[in-house]
C-alpha cells in the first residue's frame, strides 16, 4: 500500500491521551505496528574484522571485483572511493544462512551476471539446504534456486575454490562442486535449474575429523577451471578441470564438455588441491596443503601441469620435503597479462609471520615477501600501512623476529587484477590487504601494502553498551574483542585487550565512567592473565583486578551495580560469583543456577536479577544471595535477553523464547521480577534495549529485534510498549539479530544493533520522517449466515489514522448503506452481506496510512 496522508489531528489526540498516562506503572497491550523511515549505516571499524575467504575479479569489466565472506555475505568494489558495498543485507531471519557464501562466479561474457553458492553450515547447525543465487545486475537484486543439499560457507575448507564456475564460451552453462559427497552439478539455463553430473563419480574422500560435528563432513569438490581455448564463442568449452578433496586422485579432466571425466595422469598425491588456475599459455598451477584450512595445514607443495605435454613439475618455493616447510599453500594468483608471473601464499605460517612468494618465470625461481637477515632480523619487500584501521596491530609490541602488524594469516586467497598487474589483493583472518605497486617487487623495491577493506564490516557482535555519558558506543565482538567508539564514523585506534576477547560488558548506571568487561584471557601466554578488566574512565583505559574466581577460564556475563559497588560475574564454566572489593576477591553467589543470565538494577545498588529455565531470581544484597520470585509463564528455552530500565527501580523487560517449545515474546515487570506481563501482540522477541525518551516523554524508548503483526524487524516503542513502529525495512535485515541491541541515551531515535557477521549497524530516523502507524481491527474473521442474517460489528484501533472506506476487491462499499461508522465501531450491513456469494468475502479497511487490515467473512447458508 502506498503511503497516504496522515490525519495529524488524530495523532495529536492520541498523543494527548497517552502522555496523560503513567506509563511506568502500566502493562500495555501492544497495538498494530507501523513503520518509520530510518537511515542505516555501519559503525566503522575500518578493517572488517573477519575472514575473507575469496576475492574474485571479473575478467571482462575492469574494476568489477567481489569479496565473499563466511558469515557476512558478499561485497562489490567501488572504484570511485575505493570501498566495498554489501549486497546481501536484505537477508533476514528465515533465510539467515544465505549470508554464508561458499563460492562466487562473475560472468566473463556478461559482467552483469553474478552467481553465488549460499549456505552457512552443512551440519545440524543450519536447518536449511543451500542456494544458488543469481543476479543480472551485479548483485543489486537476486533470484534463488534451492539445492537438494546444504552449502557450507562457514565450514572447513571455505577458502578453497572457486567451486562455482561459468563456461567462458557459453555462459548459460555453469558448474558447481558440492560438499558432503554430493558431487558435481551443472546448469544450462543461467543457474535457474541444476542437475547432477552423474558421470563425475569422485565426490571427495577427505574428512577433517570424523568425530567432530563441525569437522566431520566430506569436504567434497574444491574448484572448477575451464580451458577457454577449447571452445568458441557460443559453443561449450570442451576441456574442464575439477579439483577434488582426495589425497589420492584429486585433479580430474573432461575433454568433451563434461560428458566424461578421468583423473589427470601423473598428478601428485598426498595433498589436497586448494586452487587451480590455468594460465593463458597452457599451464595449470595448483596449490596443495595437507589440510583443508583455513586453520590447519602443516605441509604442502605447488605444482604446474603443462597441459600440452601432460608433464607435471613441482615448483614449490619451499617443497614439502624441506625441513623449512611447516605450512601448506593456499592463495594462488596468475598475472593475466604476464602468464609466467604467479604468486602463492602460505595458508598458515604462524611464526614469525605468513609468507607470500612471487615468480616471474613460471615457478622456476621465487622471491619472498620477507627474508631472514642476521637473526632475529628480517628484510622486507613491503611496507605496511594500517592507518585505515590502526587497531590491526592488536596492541602488540612483540620481540623480533615477530613484528606488528602481521602480514597476515589464513591467506586462503590472493588475486592479481587481470587488467592491472600492479594491483593485488589478499584476504586474511582479520581484513583484506592489497597493493597498487606490485611490480615494484620485481625491480628490488618495496611494495606498499595497505588495508583495502573500507566498507567491509564482518564482525560477529556479542554485546553493546551506550552509556549516558562518554563514548557513544562500546562493543564486544568475536575474534577481535571489541572497541570504544568515540566517533561512529572513524575506525578506533585500538581494540580492547587483556583479555583479548570480550563476551560481555556493563557499566554503573549512576557512575557510567565505571565499566567492566569479561572475556577469555590467553592463559597459555600469561599464566597470570585475567579474564576480566575494569575501566574508571569510560573505557579509555583498562586494568585487570588482582583476582578472578578460582578455576574459571573466563567468558560469560558481567553485571555492575548501579553505583559500581558490586560486580556479579556469571562465568562460562563454574557458575555465578560476586565481588564487593573491585574484583580483588570473589565469592560464589548462592541461590542462583550456574547457567543463569544476570543483570543489575539501574537504580538500586543492592539489586541484581537472574534468570534460568523459566525461573526469575532477585538479589537484594549485591549479588551475594538470590531468591526465586513467583514469576511464571516465562520462556524455558531459546533466546533470552533481559534488562532493567534506567531511572525506574524494579522495571524489567525480558525478551526470548523458542518456536519449538514456546512461549516466545516480550515480557514486562514493574515489581522487580515478582511478576511479568506478556505483551500480546509481540509474537517473538530476541533482544531488548533502551534509548533516549521521545520528545515530551520521560520513559525511555524501547528497541527490540522481534516479530510483531507477523513481521520480523527492528522495532521502537515510545510509550512503554503500547505501540510500535518498525524502524528497519526489507533491504536492511542483516540476518538473525539475537545478540545485542541498545538505543542511545543521548540521541533520540538512534539504535545500535549487533549482527552475526555484518558488524555493528546503527539506525537514525530519516530526515523529515514521520512514523507511519498501522491501524488494526477486531475481529479479523467472522461468519455470516444467510438463514440467520445479522449485522457484523468491527472495532477499530486507529493509531492516529482515519478510515477512508471499505473495499471488496476493487469495489468500494457505500458508506451509510453498506456500512456505517460510529466512533471506533464499523457496522457492516446484513443486507450487503446477504448479497455476497457463498464462500469467503474479504473486506479491506482502507486507512489513511499504514498497512490495511482485512476482515475475512465466511458466507454460509
Amino acid at each position: 500500500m502506498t503511503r497516504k496522508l496522515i490525519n495529524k489531528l488524530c495523532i495529536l489526540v492520541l498523543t494527548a491521551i497517552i502522555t496523560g498516562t503513567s506509563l511506568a506503572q502500566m502493562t500495555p497491550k501492544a497495538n498494530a505496528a507501523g513503520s518509520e523511515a530510518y537511515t542505516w549505516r555501519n559503525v566503522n571499524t575500518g578493517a572488517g574484522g573477519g575472514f575473507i575467504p575469496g576475492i574474485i575479479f571479473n575478467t571482462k569489466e575492469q574494476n568489477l571485483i567481489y569479496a565473499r565472506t563466511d558469515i557476512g555475505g558478499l561485497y562489490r568494489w567501488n572504484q570511485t572511493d575505493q570501498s566495498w558495498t554489501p549486497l546481501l543485507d536484505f537477508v533476514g531471519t528465515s533465510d539467515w544462512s544465505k549470508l554464508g557464501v561458499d563460492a562466487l562466479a562473475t560472468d566473463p561474457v556478461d559482467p552483469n551476471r553474478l552467481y553465488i553458492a549460499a549456505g552457512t553450515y552443512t551440519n545440524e547447525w543450519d536447518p536449511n539446504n543451500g542456494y544458488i543465487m543469481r543476479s543480472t545486475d551485479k548483485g543489486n537484486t537476486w533470484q534463488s534456486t534451492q539445492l537438494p543439499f546444504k552449502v557450507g560457507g562457514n565450514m572447513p575448507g571455505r577458502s578453497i575454490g572457486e567451486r562455482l564456475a561459468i563456461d567462458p564460451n557459453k555462459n548459460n552453462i555453469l558448474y558447481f562442486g558440492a560438499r558432503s559427497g554430493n558431487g558435481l552439478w551443472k546448469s544450462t539455463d543461467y543457474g535457474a535449474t541444476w542437475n547432477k553430473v552423474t558421470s563425475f563419480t569422485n565426490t571427495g574422500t577427505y574428512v577433517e575429523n570424523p568425530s567432530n560435528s563441525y569437522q566431520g563432513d566430506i569436504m567434497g569438490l574444491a574448484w572448477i577451471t575451464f580451458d577457454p581455448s577449447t571452445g568458441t564463442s557460443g559453443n561449450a568449452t570442451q576441456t574442464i578441470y575439477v579439483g577434488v578433496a582426495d589425497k589420492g586422485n584429486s585433479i580430474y579432466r573432461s575433454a568433451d564438455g563434461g560428458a566424461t571425466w578421468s583423473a589427470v595422469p601423473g598428478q601428485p598425491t598426498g595433498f589436497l588441491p586448494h586452487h587451480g588456475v590455468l594460465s593463458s599459455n597452457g599451464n595449470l598451477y595448483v596449490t596443495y596443503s595437507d589440510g583443508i584450512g583455513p586453520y590447519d595445514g602443516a605441509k604442502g607443495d605447488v605444482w604446474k601441469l603443462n597441459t600440452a605435454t601432460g608433464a607435471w613439475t613441482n615448483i614449490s618455493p619451499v617443497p614439502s620435503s624441506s625441513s623449512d616447510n611447516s605450512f601448506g599453500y593456499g592463495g594462488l594468483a596468475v598475472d593475466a597479462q604476464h602468464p609466467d608471473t604467479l604468486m602463492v601464499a602460505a595458508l598458515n605460517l604462524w611464526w614469525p609471520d605468513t609468507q607470500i612468494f612471487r615468480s616471474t618465470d613460471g615457478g622456476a625461481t621465487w622471491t619472498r615477501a620477507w627474508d631472514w637477515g642476521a637473526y632475529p632480523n628480517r628484510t622486507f619487500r613491503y611496507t605496511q600501512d594500517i592507518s585505515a584501521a590502526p587497531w590491526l596491530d592488536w596492541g602488540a609490541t612483540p620481540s623480533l623476529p615477530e613484528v606488528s602488524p602481521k602480514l597476515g594469516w589464513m591467506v586462503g586467497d590472493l588475486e592479481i587484477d587481470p587488467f592491472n598487474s600492479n594491483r593485488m589483493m589478499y584476504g586474511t583472518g582479520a581484513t583484506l590487504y592489497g597493493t597498487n605497486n606490485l611490480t615494484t617487487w620485481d625491480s628490488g623495491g618495496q611494495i606498499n601494502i595497505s588495508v583495502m577493506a573500507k566498507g567491509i564490516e564482518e564482525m560477529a557482535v556479542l554485546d553493546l553498551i551506550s552509556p549516558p555519558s562518554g563514548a557513544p558506543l562500546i562493543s564486544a565482538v568475536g575474534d577481535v574483542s571489541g572497541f570504544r567508539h568515540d566517533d561512529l564514523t572513524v575506525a578506533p585506534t585500538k581494540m580492547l585487550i587483556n583479555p583479548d576477547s570480550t563476551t560481555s560488558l556493563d557499566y554503573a548506571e549512576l557512575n557510567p565512567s565505571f565499566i567492566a568487561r569479561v572475556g577469555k584471557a590467553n592463559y597459555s601466554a600469561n599464566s597470570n592473565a585475567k579474564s576480566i578488566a575494569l575501566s574508571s574512565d569510560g573505557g579509555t583505559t583498562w586494568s585487570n583486578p588482582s583476582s578472578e574466581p578460582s578455576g574459571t577460564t573466563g567468558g560469560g556475563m558481567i553485571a555492575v551495580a548501579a553505583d559500581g559497588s558490586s560486580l556479579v560475574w556469571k562465568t562460562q564454566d563454574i557458575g555465578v560469583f560476586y565481588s564487593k572489593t573491585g574484583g580483588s576477591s570473589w565469592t560464589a553467589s548462592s541461590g542462583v543456577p550456574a547457567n543463569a543470565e544476570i543483570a543489575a538494577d539501574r537504580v538500586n545498588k543492592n539489586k541484581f536479577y537472574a534468570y534460568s529455565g523459566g525461573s526469575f531470581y532477585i538479589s537484594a544484597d549485591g549479588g551475594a544471595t538470590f531468591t526465586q520470585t513467583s514469576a511464571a509463564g516465562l520462556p524455558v528455552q531459546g533466546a533470552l535477553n533481559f534488562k532493567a530500565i534506567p531511572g525506574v527501580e524494579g522495571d524489567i523487560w525480558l525478551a526470548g523464547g523458542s518456536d519449538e517449545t514456546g512461549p516466545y515474546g516480550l515480557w514486562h515487570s514493574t515489581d522487580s521480577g515478582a511478576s511479568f506481563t506478556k505483551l500480546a501482540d509481540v509474537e517473538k522477541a530476541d533482544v531488548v534495549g533502551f534509548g533516549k525518551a521521545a520528545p515530551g516523554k520521560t520513559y525511555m524508548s524501547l528497541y527490540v529485534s522481534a516479530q510483531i503483526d507477523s513481521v520480523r524487524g527492528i522495532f521502537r516503542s515510545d510509550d512503554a510498549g503500547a505501540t510500535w513502529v518498525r524502524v528497519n525495512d526489507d533491504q536492511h535485515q542483516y540476518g538473525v539479530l539475537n545478540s545485542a541491541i541498545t538505543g542511545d541515551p543521548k540521541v533520540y531515535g538512534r539504535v545500535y544493533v549487533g549482527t552475526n557477521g555484518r558488524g555493528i549497524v546503527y539506525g537514525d530516523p530519516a530526515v523529515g520522517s514521520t512514523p507511519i502507524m498501522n491501524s488494526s481491527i477486531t475481529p479479523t474473521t467472522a461468519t455470516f449466515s444467510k438463514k440467520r442474517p445479522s449485522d457484523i460489528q468491527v472495532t477499530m484501533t486507529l493509531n492516529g489514522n482515519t478510515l477512508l472506506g471499505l473495499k471488496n476487491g476493487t469495489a468500494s462499499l457505500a458508506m451509510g448503506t453498506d456500512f456505517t461508522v460510529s466512533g471506533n465501531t464499523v457496522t457492516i450491513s446484513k443486507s450487503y452481506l446477504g448479497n455476497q456469494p457463498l464462500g469467503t468475502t474479504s473486506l479491506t479497511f482502507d486507512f489513511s496510512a499504514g498497512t490495511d487490515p482485512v476482515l475475512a467473512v465466511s458466507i454460509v447458508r
Side-chain angles (χ1 to χ4, degrees):
M1 171 180 172
T2 58
R3 180 170 178 173
K4 303 171 185 175
L5 180 66
I6 297 179
N7 187 311
K8 295 185 178 179
L9 177 60
C10 288
I11 292 177
L12 291 173
V13 171
L14 182 62
T15 302
I17 293 170
I18 292 175
T19 54
T21 304
S22 176
L23 293 176
Q25 302 302 316
M26 65 186 291
T27 49
K29 176 182 184 293
N31 293 312
S35 62
E36 181 174 349
Y38 258 54
T39 299
W40 288 91
R41 306 176 182 88
N42 266 110
V43 174
N44 182 24
T45 67
F51 183 39
I52 307 293
I55 304 163
I56 300 91
F57 285 74
N58 186 275
T59 57
K60 185 174 183 179
E61 181 176 323
Q62 190 171 8
N63 298 318
L64 181 56
I65 315 166
Y66 298 94
R68 62 177 176 90
T69 73
D70 46 14
I71 60 172
L74 81 148
Y75 296 80
R76 185 182 63 227
W77 176 254
N78 303 303
Q79 181 66 18
T80 303
D81 65 353
Q82 307 283 289
S83 70
W84 298 89
T85 296
L87 299 179
L88 296 182
D89 285 351
F90 64 89
V91 172
T93 299
S94 63
D95 55 354
W96 62 267
S97 61
K98 288 180 177 177
L99 291 174
V101 182
D102 204 18
L104 183 150
T106 173
D107 197 318
V109 179
D110 178 1
N112 289 315
R113 292 185 180 273
L114 172 67
Y115 305 86
I116 60 172
T120 305
Y121 300 103
T122 60
N123 63 357
E124 71 278 6
W125 299 347
D126 189 342
N128 301 313
N129 283 337
Y131 297 84
I132 299 295
M133 297 174 61
R134 60 194 187 277
S135 172
T136 56
D137 53 14
K138 300 177 182 176
N140 293 324
T141 60
W142 295 89
Q143 293 177 289
S144 296
T145 297
Q146 191 162 29
L147 298 166
F149 48 79
K150 295 182 179 182
V151 170
N154 197 35
M155 294 295 287
R158 55 193 178 273
S159 63
I160 287 175
E162 292 297 302
R163 53 174 62 88
L164 178 64
I166 303 166
D167 189 321
N169 289 300
K170 192 172 176 59
N171 66 327
N172 63 301
I173 296 175
L174 292 89
Y175 285 88
F176 174 59
R179 294 173 177 265
S180 312
N182 288 302
L184 184 66
W185 290 69
K186 180 180 181 180
S187 172
T188 58
D189 55 6
Y190 298 98
T193 61
W194 292 82
N195 292 288
K196 188 172 185 178
V197 180
T198 56
S199 60
F200 193 97
T201 57
N202 188 345
T203 59
T205 61
Y206 184 78
V207 176
E208 188 174 48
N209 181 358
S211 64
N212 181 280
S213 169
Y214 176 64
Q215 300 170 306
D217 193 21
I218 296 172
M219 175 61 230
L221 276 58
W223 46 263
I224 301 163
T225 297
F226 290 89
D227 183 349
S229 68
T230 62
T232 57
S233 179
N235 297 294
T237 300
Q238 294 302 294
T239 299
I240 312 167
Y241 296 90
V242 174
V244 180
D246 183 340
K247 289 188 177 182
N249 288 318
S250 64
I251 310 295
Y252 286 78
R253 179 172 56 203
S254 173
D256 52 13
T260 61
W261 300 84
S262 60
V264 177
Q267 64 180 278
T269 60
F271 294 113
L272 302 167
H274 276 240
H275 293 275
V277 178
L278 184 67
S279 68
S280 60
N281 59 358
N283 289 309
L284 178 67
Y285 295 96
V286 184
T287 50
Y288 290 90
S289 177
D290 60 358
I292 54 176
Y295 308 110
D296 62 352
K299 286 287 183 180
D301 279 314
V302 182
W303 285 80
K304 176 172 70 174
L305 169 66
N306 184 319
T307 60
T309 66
W312 286 90
T313 306
N314 187 333
I315 58 169
S316 304
V318 183
S320 60
S321 57
S322 169
S323 60
D324 291 331
N325 179 277
S326 60
F327 53 88
Y329 291 94
L332 165 66
V334 175
D335 189 336
Q337 299 188 40
H338 305 281
D340 286 328
T341 295
L342 68 150
M343 301 180 73
V344 297
L347 179 60
N348 279 311
L349 177 57
W350 299 101
W351 185 92
D353 204 344
T354 198
Q355 184 64 276
I356 297 174
F357 304 89
R358 180 173 171 89
S359 173
T360 58
D361 54 13
T365 61
W366 296 87
T367 50
R368 308 170 185 230
W370 58 266
D371 288 290
W372 288 108
Y375 189 85
N377 296 298
R378 292 185 285 152
T379 60
F380 301 91
R381 283 189 173 83
Y382 67 92
T383 63
Q384 194 166 4
D385 176 9
I386 60 168
S387 58
W391 57 266
L392 282 169
D393 65 3
W394 246 251
T397 54
S399 300
L400 293 176
E402 291 188 276
V403 297
S404 184
K406 282 185 172 290
L407 183 60
W409 58 93
M410 295 161 56
V411 185
D413 196 24
L414 178 151
E415 300 293 335
I416 299 172
D417 187 335
F419 297 92
N420 180 1
S421 297
N422 268 312
R423 178 156 64 179
M424 177 265 289
M425 296 181 180
Y426 66 95
T428 75
T431 191
L432 190 155
Y433 284 117
T435 182
N436 288 308
N437 69 329
L438 181 58
T439 60
T440 302
W441 179 316
D442 304 327
S443 58
Q446 288 185 311
I447 66 171
N448 302 320
I449 293 176
S450 62
V451 179
M452 287 189 176
K454 180 181 177 182
I456 295 177
E457 297 292 343
E458 198 194 341
M459 298 173 187
V461 182
L462 304 177
D463 202 3
L464 298 170
I465 58 172
S466 182
S469 62
L473 186 68
I474 303 175
S475 58
V477 299
D479 295 334
V480 293
S481 189
F483 305 94
R484 171 189 157 120
H485 266 90
D486 294 292
D487 185 332
L488 304 176
T489 66
V490 177
T493 58
K494 58 185 179 181
M495 63 191 292
L496 303 180
I497 59 172
N498 299 323
D500 295 340
S501 71
T502 304
T503 57
S504 175
L505 304 133
D506 196 15
Y507 64 92
E509 188 66 43
L510 307 180
N511 179 24
S513 61
F514 181 76
I515 304 174
R517 63 185 178 90
V518 294
K520 301 282 284 186
N522 186 350
Y523 297 104
S524 61
N526 178 6
S527 60
N528 294 317
K530 298 292 183 291
S531 290
I532 181 171
L534 307 175
S535 175
S536 59
D537 56 10
T540 300
T541 61
W542 298 84
S543 61
N544 301 116
S546 59
S547 176
E548 62 185 9
S550 178
T552 187
T553 59
M557 295 182 69
I558 189 71
V560 179
D563 66 350
S565 58
S566 299
L567 302 170
V568 178
W569 183 359
K570 189 282 292 281
T571 65
Q572 180 179 286
D573 43 13
I574 59 172
V576 181
F577 288 74
Y578 73 96
S579 173
K580 297 186 178 182
T581 59
S584 63
S585 62
W586 295 86
T587 304
S589 300
S590 64
V592 59
N595 64 345
E597 306 289 301
I598 57 172
D601 192 87
R602 312 313 284 181
V603 176
N604 187 331
K605 68 176 183 178
N606 295 312
K607 279 188 179 180
F608 286 83
Y609 306 108
Y611 168 91
S612 177
S615 299
F616 202 82
Y617 303 80
I618 183 172
S619 170
D621 55 8
T625 60
F626 284 81
T627 57
Q628 184 176 340
T629 74
S630 58
L634 298 176
V636 176
Q637 294 180 334
L640 194 286
N641 173 254
F642 77 92
K643 296 175 182 176
I645 201 164
V648 185
E649 181 179 347
D651 194 311
I652 304 163
W653 291 86
L654 184 149
S658 167
D659 281 320
E660 289 74 24
T661 60
Y664 203 171
L666 181 66
W667 287 260
H668 186 204
S669 173
T670 58
D671 54 12
S672 298
S675 62
F676 282 85
T677 299
K678 188 177 188 296
L679 273 69
D681 291 344
V682 181
E683 298 144 359
K684 304 176 185 180
D686 297 312
V687 285
V688 61
F690 316 115
K692 184 176 181 178
K697 304 291 183 70
T698 57
Y699 197 83
M700 296 185 78
S701 293
L702 306 177
Y703 296 90
V704 292
S705 172
Q707 179 176 302
I708 299 176
D709 295 334
S710 301
V711 175
R712 266 284 184 179
I714 303 165
F715 295 85
R716 188 190 77 230
S717 174
D718 295 334
D719 51 17
T723 60
W724 297 90
V725 291
R726 186 187 182 199
V727 298
N728 71 323
D729 54 60
D730 288 349
Q731 295 305 307
H732 300 88
Q733 299 197 73
Y734 310 110
V736 175
L737 304 177
N738 62 2
S739 62
I741 192 170
T742 182
D744 191 314
K746 301 184 286 294
V747 181
Y748 167 67
R750 177 171 291 174
V751 58
Y752 305 100
V753 182
T755 75
N756 185 36
R758 273 288 286 120
I760 307 164
V761 296
Y762 70 103
D764 287 306
V767 176
S769 67
T770 302
I772 302 173
M773 300 298 297
N774 287 338
S775 300
S776 63
I777 59 173
T778 304
T780 57
T781 60
T783 299
F784 177 82
S785 171
K786 293 193 175 190
K787 289 184 177 180
R788 294 178 295 278
S790 61
D791 296 340
I792 292 178
Q793 290 191 334
V794 177
T795 301
M796 301 181 294
T797 301
L798 293 173
N799 284 339
N801 302 320
T802 55
L803 180 68
L804 302 178
L806 270 64
K807 291 184 177 180
N808 184 346
T810 59
S812 295
L813 277 68
M815 183 179 292
T817 303
D818 298 333
F819 73 98
T820 59
V821 181
S822 177
N824 289 342
T825 301
V826 173
T827 301
I828 305 170
S829 166
K830 61 185 178 182
S831 61
Y832 174 80
L833 294 170
N835 289 325
Q836 304 308 306
L838 297 177
T840 300
T841 294
S842 297
L843 301 178
T844 300
F845 284 62
D846 187 12
F847 288 102
S848 58
T851 303
D852 292 333
V854 176
L855 173 69
V857 183
S858 178
I859 309 295
V860 299
R861 294 188 185 278

